[in-house]
Amino acid sequence: MDDDGTRGVRGSSADRVPGPALPPPPTAPPRVPAPAAGPDPAATPVEQRPTRPGPASPAEQPVPGAPVDAWLRTPRPPQEPGVWRYGYTPPPPEEPEGVSNRSLLVGALISLLSALLLWSLWRNGYLPYRLVPLKLFTPGEWWNPGTSGGPRTIEGSDALTVYEAILFGLLAYGCGRIGNFSELFRRHVADRGQPFLALAAAAAAGLTQLLVWKEALPVVRPVLVLVASVAGGEIYQSQTVVNVIYAVIAAAVLHPFARLGRWRELIAARRGTAAPAPDGTAVAPAAATSADQWPELRTAGWTDAADTLTAEARTGRMNDVDVARLRHAWALATRRPDRLAPLAEAVLRTGGAAALHPSGHRDLPRRGARHDVLTGQVRIGRCADDPHNPYVRRGTGLALEPALLGTSLLAVGPPGAGKTARLIRPVVEALALRALAGQAAVLAVGGAGAPLGPDDAFDVVVRLGHPGSAHDIDLYGGTTDPDEAAAVLAEGLVGDVGSLDSRRAATVLAQLLGPYRAAHGHFPSVPELRELLDGTPAALAGLRASLEAAGHHAMLRELDARSRQAGGPGDPAPALADRVALLDRPAFTGFFATGPDARPFSLRAVGQHPLRVRVDLPERGHAEASRLLTRLLLAQFTAITAARTDTTLFACLVLDDATHAVTAETVRGIRRLRSVNAGAVLALRTVDDVPETLHTPLLGAVGCTAAFSGITTWDGKRFAEAWGKEWVETREVAQHTVFADQPFTRALHALRKLVTGKAVTTDAVTVRQVERERWSASELAYAVPAGHAVLSLTTVQGEHAPPLLVHLDG
């Protein structure tokens, strides 16, 4: 700080008494150890503190063949629904909204100029009564008479020197607090990191040292006076003591700048040694747990098996899927103690290859998303830094897991929005990995050529309408009950026809399926079912003759009832026959076989075994048939999963295109899935692909919803209503013209209006709490950027996450 040429002036009195013979200040600052010239380019820069919350560098699954012990030890703290837990570190506390850079700079400049003005007025004696506080605490014979009289003795001159130094320190402190120099330093110096921080601190330290030793800043003489008053003036007769005092002063001046510039950390980083974080919040390394030591096996007494798995993990002979599979197998074995010994022996014999998936695979051929198989999470994106997102979620990874998919997921977005590539495929991939770990079963349904994964990533691939398909689909879901088969088949055939009652359609089918199975031992094939629904006399007569020959009189009554109802008003048989005709096409010849030699794939196996199944539908040439089959698979899945008794296996159906597949009965079935450890993922181009009467029930049945960029305002309105409202704080600013009463004030206002062109106004701020939609329809339609989606998540336990704007990178 410059004192404007007043260096050495200690008072305004002309008859001041000379001070004691103090050692003259050196012509140059004493030498002190200088900071490092700059950091090592290879050193990691030390940041001051993050300006916004954000996760650590994206955590990847372990590289194939690499040791997984570090991956296994990485902490996964419990978090809110949807948070990517692998290596999660909480963001720093939210900082209050600060002033703008312009206001901050102007305030600092005004504070600095005001402090210089006050100090100049003080040094030149223009402030009255400036020595009164000092004279109240010192003897009167030290001072000349009068309130402005200067020192008369050497003691008074020394007291004035120390008094001025104290006042200067208080003035500098007040100037720094009023001008908010700490915030200015943080924004424009500290946040730039190293080496700029260290260089700026070194430059400021050099300037301050120069001002101190030129006595522009009152530091040296007050220190010398205090030392002389304590140790006596004779101490300065030794040049060594004087040099030591000068070195201490220089080091004391340099010390604050060394702390601000973090020179110690910079030197430690250059030497390659770790330095603690300045705020004591250094991020801890991977959690020092014994997870890689398999404590559950050691607790049960199987130390040899635990040692074997530990060695497998550390040498890279075990991957993350093996870890998840063996942990799950051990958890199941603990429920039946008779399985513990065989599992432990298998571990000792085969290591990480124990308890393999029936396919023999230990991993997928390739992965396209980030997975944490231990928790079942798949990272699909990152929460955007947007005001709609809570502060703690901005910048954090967003992941899906079975606890969320168990409430079912509805994704809506136009073609090209990224539903398949950025959401559907990562979910299918995660479920396939979980199936390899023996914890889930997945049924992925999409059009032929849909990027749901390679063929070798699935156990069963059904290509309907493709002559080279190795598998078929059972239209009746593998059941032997005619009534159950009729109910599911009716839902798939005419469930989307609002004018037909699906229960009457199920009755018609049951009247035909029951007699046919009683006569032939299996359900009819597609051509035979079509003939029966059309009421072909030859088909009905042949069926009747077979029933009479076998003596099935009850089934004859069912067939007679169908004959009486045929052709009546509201008979659903013609509509059923028309829908069955969609499957009775040359492209489907050989498919949907039901004879004794047929071996179709039944969805019932999905609810019982950890299977990976993909169904390719011929959407291009047979769009209506594909929609019918999609609707049938959805109805079968909800019926089969609801009827299973063992719900330890998570079953999930993924529909890449659920257009016209949702019916009133399937909505009720989706609502029941979360109670049987199952879920469904439905993708739609628009909510209008579902009957209007089912819009509200469908959004209420699913626990997770995703609105992709590009949806219409009509779809946005439905999502906005489903997500509800929240209380927000609003600020309303009203400007009122100021009318002055005094002539001088009116003149100032007139001059200001002449210069600025605006009248003098005052702001009236009104703050209140109002209830607003979390996301409005227009915001969902126009404010969601490309490659983003708004996701609302709910767990099977009932925990909720608000709608979050997510940048999808899955």
Side-chain angles (χ1 to χ4, degrees):
M1 181 183 295
D2 190 7
D3 57 6
D4 198 18
T6 58
R7 181 174 62 251
V9 179
R10 291 190 282 177
S12 58
S13 176
D15 55 351
R16 290 174 298 166
V17 179
L22 299 179
T27 57
R31 295 182 177 274
V32 293
D40 189 351
T44 302
V46 181
E47 300 292 340
Q48 172 75 7
R49 58 176 175 176
T51 57
R52 60 173 62 91
S57 57
E60 302 282 355
Q61 56 266 15
V63 179
V68 297
D69 53 343
W71 169 83
L72 190 58
R73 291 194 307 268
T74 302
R76 297 165 175 86
Q79 293 297 324
E80 297 179 0
V83 175
W84 175 250
R85 294 166 50 192
Y86 180 82
Y88 174 81
T89 55
E94 184 177 7
E95 299 180 0
E97 184 178 357
V99 297
S100 63
N101 290 331
R102 179 179 178 181
S103 300
L104 193 64
L105 291 172
V106 171
L109 181 60
I110 292 176
S111 175
L112 180 60
L113 294 178
S114 301
L116 290 175
L117 177 62
L118 286 176
W119 184 245
S120 177
L121 294 176
W122 166 268
R123 294 296 298 268
N124 289 281
Y126 292 111
L127 296 180
Y129 310 106
R130 62 189 187 93
L131 299 180
V132 171
L134 181 59
K135 293 180 179 180
L136 292 177
F137 296 95
T138 54
E141 60 270 13
W142 289 5
W143 309 97
N144 293 318
T147 57
S148 60
R152 175 184 298 176
T153 63
I154 296 177
E155 291 81 1
S157 178
D158 294 341
L160 181 59
T161 300
V162 177
Y163 179 57
E164 286 183 346
I166 295 175
L167 290 181
F168 179 81
L170 294 176
L171 181 62
Y173 176 78
C175 173
R177 292 297 301 270
I178 296 175
N180 205 358
F181 278 86
S182 60
E183 179 67 15
L184 187 66
F185 174 81
R186 185 188 69 82
R187 288 191 189 182
H188 299 282
V189 180
D191 285 351
R192 296 190 179 186
Q194 301 286 17
F196 182 83
L197 176 61
L199 294 177
L207 178 61
T208 304
Q209 290 278 6
L210 181 62
L211 295 177
V212 166
W213 296 109
K214 293 295 184 181
E215 294 193 7
L217 301 180
V219 175
V220 178
R221 294 188 65 84
V223 171
L224 297 178
V225 168
L226 289 176
V227 171
S229 62
V230 173
E234 296 81 3
I235 193 174
Y236 295 124
Q237 294 179 359
S238 173
Q239 187 62 35
T240 302
V241 173
V242 173
N243 293 335
V244 169
I245 294 177
Y246 286 158
V248 171
I249 295 174
V253 173
L254 190 64
H255 179 70
F257 296 97
R259 290 180 58 87
L260 289 176
R262 301 182 183 178
W263 297 346
R264 181 181 178 183
E265 297 175 15
L266 186 61
I267 296 173
R270 185 172 181 178
R271 292 177 178 177
T273 59
D279 52 359
T281 59
V283 178
T289 64
S290 58
D292 61 329
Q293 301 291 328
W294 300 85
E296 59 273 16
L297 274 70
R298 299 183 186 276
T299 303
W302 300 96
T303 307
D304 294 341
D307 293 338
T308 300
L309 293 180
T310 301
E312 291 270 311
R314 291 181 176 177
T315 56
R317 295 193 298 268
M318 176 185 289
N319 60 19
D320 53 347
V321 178
D322 295 331
V323 173
R325 186 186 67 253
L326 290 174
R327 282 179 175 271
H328 178 69
W330 186 263
L332 293 180
T334 53
R335 302 176 186 175
R336 298 184 59 178
D338 58 315
R339 295 184 178 181
L340 290 176
L343 178 60
E345 293 175 359
V347 168
L348 292 174
R349 185 175 60 257
T350 60
L356 271 181
H357 186 264
S359 65
H361 297 162
R362 300 172 63 178
D363 200 353
L364 296 179
R366 55 183 175 273
R367 303 184 187 183
R370 301 171 186 171
H371 299 274
D372 184 20
V373 187
L374 202 60
T375 59
Q377 286 190 319
V378 53
R379 191 179 188 274
I380 64 171
R382 173 181 51 82
C383 295
D385 188 4
D386 187 85
H388 286 92
N389 293 342
Y391 173 80
V392 295
R393 298 301 297 269
R394 298 175 190 173
T396 61
L398 188 130
L400 296 177
E401 56 185 309
L404 297 172
L405 299 178
T407 63
S408 298
L409 169 65
L410 176 66
V412 179
K419 300 189 300 298
T420 301
R422 301 185 179 184
L423 179 64
I424 299 299
R425 175 161 181 172
V427 168
V428 173
E429 198 174 85
L431 293 172
L433 288 172
R434 204 156 180 82
L436 291 178
Q439 305 176 41
V442 56
L443 173 61
V445 181
L452 300 180
D455 294 349
D456 47 0
F458 296 91
D459 303 313
V460 176
V461 178
V462 181
R463 296 184 177 90
L464 294 175
H466 193 283
S469 178
H471 298 277
D472 194 1
I473 283 291
D474 188 355
L475 288 179
Y476 305 100
T479 183
T480 59
D481 184 1
D483 292 329
E484 181 182 351
V488 175
L489 186 58
E491 195 65 33
L493 292 176
V494 295
D496 62 328
V497 181
S499 58
L500 288 180
D501 187 358
S502 60
R503 290 174 296 181
R504 292 193 60 189
T507 301
V508 170
L509 288 172
Q511 291 172 345
L512 296 174
L513 296 180
Y516 191 94
R517 179 172 179 78
H520 300 283
H522 58 82
F523 291 122
S525 61
V526 170
E528 293 169 335
L529 180 60
R530 179 183 180 184
E531 291 180 353
L532 293 174
L533 290 172
D534 282 334
T536 305
L540 293 176
L543 179 58
R544 183 181 298 276
S546 299
L547 292 173
E548 290 175 350
H552 295 292
H553 300 290
M555 293 302 166
L556 281 173
R557 289 194 298 270
E558 287 286 308
L559 192 59
D560 291 338
R562 171 84 290 268
S563 300
R564 290 192 303 270
Q565 297 171 4
D571 183 18
L576 289 170
D578 292 341
R579 290 300 178 89
V580 173
L582 296 174
L583 303 179
D584 189 17
R585 305 298 301 167
F588 300 113
T589 301
F591 287 87
F592 316 119
T594 58
D597 298 331
R599 294 294 184 267
F601 173 76
S602 174
L603 260 65
R604 198 167 297 274
V606 174
Q608 300 172 354
H609 307 286
L611 291 176
R612 302 166 293 165
V613 183
R614 194 189 76 201
V615 178
D616 294 344
L617 301 176
E619 289 184 344
R620 294 182 180 179
H622 303 274
E624 286 298 327
S626 298
R627 294 174 182 175
L628 187 153
L629 291 171
T630 302
R631 191 163 52 247
L632 178 62
L633 292 174
L634 177 58
Q636 288 185 1
F637 180 81
T638 55
I640 290 172
T641 53
R644 61 178 182 163
T645 57
D646 185 7
T647 60
T648 57
L649 191 71
F650 178 73
C652 188
L653 169 67
V654 181
L655 297 181
D656 185 46
D657 185 5
T659 302
H660 301 296
V662 179
T663 64
E665 184 61 31
T666 54
V667 168
R668 286 189 287 269
I670 290 173
R671 190 178 291 112
R672 294 191 297 266
L673 289 179
R674 71 172 66 186
S675 62
V676 293
N677 195 23
V681 179
L682 311 177
L684 294 171
R685 294 182 178 90
T686 173
V687 182
D688 290 332
D689 289 339
V690 178
E692 186 176 358
T693 56
L694 298 178
H695 290 174
T696 300
L698 177 61
L699 289 172
V702 297
C704 303
T705 51
F708 283 72
S709 60
I711 65 172
T712 63
T713 53
W714 292 272
D715 290 341
K717 179 181 179 181
R718 298 181 181 96
F719 280 107
E721 292 174 352
W723 293 337
K725 300 180 180 180
E726 63 178 347
W727 289 98
V728 297
E729 183 181 275
T730 62
R731 297 171 59 90
E732 297 180 357
V733 181
Q735 293 185 341
H736 301 284
T737 303
V738 178
F739 298 96
D741 296 331
Q742 301 298 327
F744 181 72
T745 308
R746 286 199 299 269
L748 290 179
H749 287 184
L751 178 61
R752 179 176 176 180
K753 184 176 182 181
L754 180 63
V755 174
T756 62
K758 297 180 180 180
V760 179
T761 60
T762 182
D763 294 340
V765 181
T766 302
V767 180
R768 58 178 180 176
Q769 296 283 337
V770 297
E771 192 176 21
R772 289 184 178 177
E773 294 176 332
R774 300 178 184 270
W775 280 84
S776 66
S778 59
E779 287 176 330
L780 289 172
Y782 303 110
V784 179
H788 290 66
V790 181
L791 276 77
S792 175
L793 305 175
T794 305
T795 66
V796 292
Q797 291 82 15
E799 298 182 38
H800 295 271
L804 302 170
L805 179 63
V806 181
H807 176 251
L808 301 172
D809 54 10

